[in-house]
Amino acid sequence: MDLGLADKVALVAAASSGLGRAIAEELATEGAHLVICARDGARLQQVRDAIAQSHGVSVSAVTADVGVPQDVERLVAQALEEHGRVDVLVTNNGGPPDGGMDAFGPDDWEDAFRLILQSAVELSRRVLPGMKERGFGRILNVTSIAAKQPVDRLILSNSLRAGVLGFARTLANEVAAHGITVNNLLPGFTRTQRLEDLAAASAAAEGLAPTDIYARWAAQIPAGRIGEPQEFAALAAFLASERASYITGASIAVDGGWIRSLL
């Protein structure tokens, strides 16, 4: 299937590892040129080199923290300066700390807001004018299954990621007539460093081994296993494509069936 992504320009946030890197790799496989960002500049440069060499596409790397508005402004400005446009935006970020209500104060909530919700808003706001002018755009927000079905000990993520869904659903209605789609991707338990960190934290809190936590998670998933980043990235590539022009305002889980709700 030709996804129509060849020579499109995609900006993928938090792309030095995990789901962000997997999405960047998948888009590059389809021929899209990339602008990728992350906070770790050295690691980001390694990823940039690897993707460019493997796929023969243009890849720009910008060291940036999407939780800092000035970094978001600089990131998008550099993307537009180097490529002239952004056709596909993938908002993504690292997860906030795990813990319950008593673990966090006002500064923690403010940091989580900037990282998760404000970053999605600011990235979208800065690429939308060009997308409207060209009559084409794809905005994909990487959120979490926690936005639909809260996960224990993730009060910051559960709360703020649900806000991204509300923002995206509203924005989707506003920009659909311009040929722009806005969708949310909800990863379930997927084999990333973030999941390893959560397993370690849960194991320490309960006096268990991380393997016990993984086994518990797998038992909750109808598919019976943890997902792989490439499985998640495949959906991102399709939603970014010309083929997905009539899908907007959706929140789609890639979770092996973990979410139990009807909608």
Side-chain angles (χ1 to χ4, degrees), residues 2 4 20 30 33 56 60 69 76 79 90 96 104 141 157 206 210 213 220 234:
D2 182 3
E30 295 295 329
H33 302 295
S60 302
V76 176
V90 180
F104 304 113
N141 302 300
S157 184
E206 299 178 41
I213 304 300
Q220 297 170 359

Side-chain angles (χ1 to χ4, degrees), residues 189 191 217-219 221-228 231 255-256:
F189 292 95
R191 202 174 305 279
W217 288 336
I221 301 168
R225 63 178 177 85
I226 302 299
E228 300 296 334
E231 295 175 299
D255 66 350

Side-chain angles (χ1 to χ4, degrees), residues 15-254:
S16 64
S17 63
L19 299 178
R21 177 172 183 172
I23 292 172
E25 293 265 13
E26 193 75 15
L27 294 175
T29 298
E30 295 295 329
H33 302 295
L34 300 174
V35 179
I36 58 175
C37 82
R39 290 174 293 186
D40 186 337
R43 185 171 186 175
L44 183 68
Q45 189 63 40
Q46 293 175 351
V47 172
R48 191 218 75 83
D49 293 345
I51 295 177
Q53 292 171 9
S54 297
H55 302 287
V57 297
S58 171
V59 185
S60 302
V62 182
T63 303
D65 182 346
V66 296
V68 178
Q70 295 87 345
D71 280 15
V72 171
E73 179 180 7
R74 177 171 52 83
L75 168 64
V76 176
Q78 185 166 333
L80 295 177
E81 179 180 352
E82 293 186 7
H83 297 275
R85 68 187 196 278
V86 173
D87 302 301
V88 177
L89 169 66
V90 180
T91 77
N92 183 35
N93 48 71
D98 67 301
M101 185 65 182
D102 293 341
F104 304 113
D107 290 344
D108 300 306
W109 283 93
E110 179 68 21
D111 289 344
F113 163 74
R114 291 183 182 279
L115 177 67
I116 296 173
L117 180 53
Q118 186 177 53
S119 65
V121 173
E122 285 300 301
L123 283 164
S124 299
R125 185 171 68 84
R126 293 184 179 279
V127 302
L128 276 170
M131 289 181 174
K132 289 180 179 179
E133 182 179 340
R134 292 184 300 275
F136 178 90
R138 300 287 184 266
I139 297 176
L140 308 178
N141 302 300
V142 178
T143 61
S144 168
I145 50 173
K148 276 196 172 184
Q149 185 171 311
V151 177
D152 291 345
R153 293 182 51 79
L154 294 185
I155 193 168
L156 295 177
S157 184
N158 295 341
S159 303
L160 276 302
R161 294 195 190 280
V164 174
L165 266 59
F167 160 69
R169 189 63 191 85
T170 306
L171 179 62
N173 289 349
E174 291 186 13
V175 300
H178 297 279
I180 303 168
T181 65
V182 184
N183 292 293
N184 303 305
L185 292 80
L186 282 59
F189 292 95
T190 308
R191 202 174 305 279
T192 63
Q193 184 61 51
R194 165 71 168 167
L195 196 69
E196 292 182 15
D197 293 343
L198 290 175
S202 294
E206 299 178 41
L208 300 172
T211 53
D212 297 326
I213 304 300
Y214 272 102
R216 178 195 300 169
W217 288 336
Q220 297 170 359
I221 301 168
R225 63 178 177 85
I226 302 299
E228 300 296 334
Q230 294 77 14
E231 295 175 299
F232 180 79
L235 174 63
F238 177 73
L239 291 176
S241 75
E242 293 179 347
R243 293 296 188 102
S245 58
Y246 206 56
I247 303 173
T248 194
S251 295
I252 305 175
V254 185

